[in-house]
């Protein structure tokens, strides 16, 4: 035993540490290679290009901060497209998270046919976004669409939906919610709801708590980390909206759905202004970064981690 102990490499020695480090690097080398080639290098290149005038055909020309100055002070669509995107994100996050939570609450109960309903709710989320958009373009048709036909049966004259400047963003939001409410976000909420200890509900019922009080004081605090996770991802996804506007409305009518990423896409691939598009991408990255940091800061006031210590805000409330 003593011989074996002396001959075995001891953790902490330089030779053992180097070997362990080499093995670790070898195991993660596929990820590191992919990250350096497909993430780190494009980010560094786009940051450099954001200070240049570049149209792919000719070599980049250094112009300093001109792209950023144009975005902030000369490009009228920069601010208006950003405002439209924020408005869409507000609608999509509020209705999407609330709708997913509501669907998860309904499907968390054990009723006959619950599994079938869960499947039906999840099906729209696996439909390709192009197919969903084209389907809803037909549904929203003002003259031959099925939605306005159904509204006419109850005496309501439907709007022009995607052809209306006032209804275009709500219509795009409906398309987005159709595939998102019952998707992965609902599944995550469903898993969180099923992890809430039933003993807490039983104790609350003994104390005379109703359904609303149990939801507010037990369910909501215990699923708050899941809520926070879904809110962060939904905000980032909503700010990146592009496909729906590109397929369903092409940014119209009259720029009503001309979102920020769509404006970036137009500059990059239709106007061949890669340098300006790179500057827009970095501004967008900073906006998302700041909004995410604010959410993490505010989460201290309402997110409760049941398996560990209560957060700072929860302690303040107690």
């Amino acid at each position: 035993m003593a011989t074996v102990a002396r001959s075995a490499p001891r953790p902490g020695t330089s030779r053992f540490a180097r070997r362990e480090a080499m093995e670790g690097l070898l195991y993660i080398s596929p990820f590191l290679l992919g990250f350096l080639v497909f993430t780190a290098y494009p980010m560094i290149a786009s940051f450099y290009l954001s200070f240049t005038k570049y149209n792919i055909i000719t070599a980049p020309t250094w112009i300093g901060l001109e792209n950023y100055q144009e975005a902030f002070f000369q490009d009228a669509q920069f601010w208006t497209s950003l405002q439209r995107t924020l408005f869409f994100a507000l609608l999509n996050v509020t209705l999407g998270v609330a709708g997913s939570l509501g669907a998860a609450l309904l499907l968390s109960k054990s009723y006959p046919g619950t599994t079938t309903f869960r499947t039906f709710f999840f099906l729209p989320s696996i439909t390709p976004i192009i197919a969903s958009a084209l389907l809803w373009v037909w549904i929203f048709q003002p003259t031959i669409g099925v939605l306005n036909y159904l509204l006419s049966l109850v005496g309501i004259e439907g709007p022009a939906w995607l052809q209306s400047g006032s209804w275009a963003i709500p219509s795009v939001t409906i398309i987005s919610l159709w595939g998102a409410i019952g998707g992965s976000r609902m599944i995550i909420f469903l898993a969180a709801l099923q992890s809430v200890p039933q003993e807490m509900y039983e104790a609350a019922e003994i104390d005379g708590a109703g359904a609303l009080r149990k939801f507010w004081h037990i369910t909501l605090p215990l699923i708050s980390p899941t809520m926070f996770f879904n809110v962060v991802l939904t905000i980032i996804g909503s700010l990146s909206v592009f496909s729906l506007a590109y397929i369903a409305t092409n940014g119209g009518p009259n720029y009503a759905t001309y979102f920020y990423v769509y404006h970036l896409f137009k500059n990059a691939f239709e106007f061949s202004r890669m340098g300006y598009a790179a500057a827009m991408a970095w501004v967008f990255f900073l906006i998302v970064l700041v909004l995410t940091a604010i959410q993490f800061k505010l989460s201290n006031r309402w997110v409760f981690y049941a398996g560990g210590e209560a957060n700072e805000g929860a302690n303040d409330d107690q």
Side-chain angles (χ1 to χ4, degrees):
M1 293 294 293
T3 305
V4 173
R6 283 195 299 271
S7 60
R10 291 178 301 171
T13 60
S14 59
R15 183 178 178 183
F16 181 81
R18 285 198 299 271
R19 180 179 176 182
E20 192 175 46
M22 289 299 295
E23 288 178 352
L25 287 174
L26 182 63
Y27 290 142
I28 65 172
S29 58
F31 166 76
L32 281 179
L33 184 62
F35 174 78
L36 292 174
V37 173
F38 297 110
T39 303
Y41 173 73
M43 287 187 67
I44 296 172
S46 70
F47 186 68
Y48 167 74
L49 291 176
S50 69
F51 298 99
T52 66
K53 183 177 181 180
Y54 180 50
N55 60 2
I56 302 180
I57 300 174
T58 59
T61 304
W62 182 266
I63 57 174
L65 295 174
E66 288 187 17
N67 285 327
Y68 292 94
Q69 291 174 347
E70 179 182 347
F72 293 142
F73 304 110
Q74 300 172 14
D75 185 359
Q77 286 301 327
F78 176 85
W79 292 111
T80 54
S81 64
L82 185 59
Q83 290 173 359
R84 290 187 203 99
T85 305
L86 292 175
F87 177 62
F88 169 80
L90 179 64
L91 287 178
N92 201 44
V93 172
T94 305
L95 300 176
V97 173
S100 296
L101 178 58
L105 285 170
L106 289 174
L107 298 176
S108 63
K109 307 296 182 184
S110 296
Y111 298 117
T114 298
T115 304
T116 305
F117 280 114
R118 289 176 181 173
T119 304
F120 282 134
F121 268 84
F122 190 74
L123 280 178
S125 66
I126 61 176
T127 305
I129 188 66
I130 296 177
S132 298
L134 294 177
L135 172 66
W136 278 94
V137 166
W138 172 73
I139 292 175
F140 280 139
Q141 278 289 332
T143 55
I144 62 172
V146 67
L147 182 56
N148 278 2
Y149 171 73
L150 294 175
L151 290 175
S152 67
L153 295 180
V154 294
I156 299 175
E157 184 180 356
W161 300 108
L162 293 171
Q163 286 78 38
S164 167
S166 303
W167 283 93
I169 288 184
S171 302
V172 172
T173 305
I174 291 173
I175 301 174
S176 175
L177 294 176
W178 180 74
I181 283 181
S184 58
R185 196 168 49 208
M186 183 200 71
I187 298 297
I188 295 172
F189 272 132
L190 196 57
L193 290 172
Q194 292 179 342
S195 67
V196 177
Q198 294 301 312
E199 295 80 5
M200 300 186 72
Y201 291 126
E202 294 170 359
E205 289 174 357
I206 293 174
D207 292 338
L212 186 59
R213 291 187 64 186
K214 286 190 292 185
F215 172 76
W216 188 257
H217 293 289
I218 297 176
T219 305
L220 208 53
L222 291 183
I223 68 168
S224 58
T226 305
M227 175 82 75
F228 174 64
F229 174 79
N230 277 332
V231 167
V232 170
L233 291 189
T234 306
I235 289 177
I236 295 174
S238 300
L239 293 175
S240 307
V241 58
F242 166 73
S243 302
L244 288 177
Y246 181 74
I247 298 168
T249 62
N250 200 22
N254 194 23
Y255 293 96
T257 56
Y258 195 79
F259 298 116
Y260 187 90
V261 176
Y262 190 83
H263 187 40
L264 189 156
F265 169 82
K266 296 275 283 188
N267 277 283
F269 298 103
E270 290 194 14
F271 308 145
S272 298
R273 303 187 65 204
M274 289 293 176
Y276 184 66
M280 288 187 63
W282 274 96
V283 173
F284 181 71
F285 171 74
L286 291 177
I287 292 172
V288 173
L289 189 65
V290 169
L291 290 178
T292 304
I294 292 174
Q295 293 171 71
F296 271 90
K297 185 66 177 177
L298 295 178
S299 70
N300 292 330
R301 298 182 176 277
W302 64 277
V303 178
F304 179 82
Y305 294 98
E309 297 180 356
N311 56 35
E312 179 182 335
N315 287 330
D316 293 341
D317 296 338
Q318 291 175 353

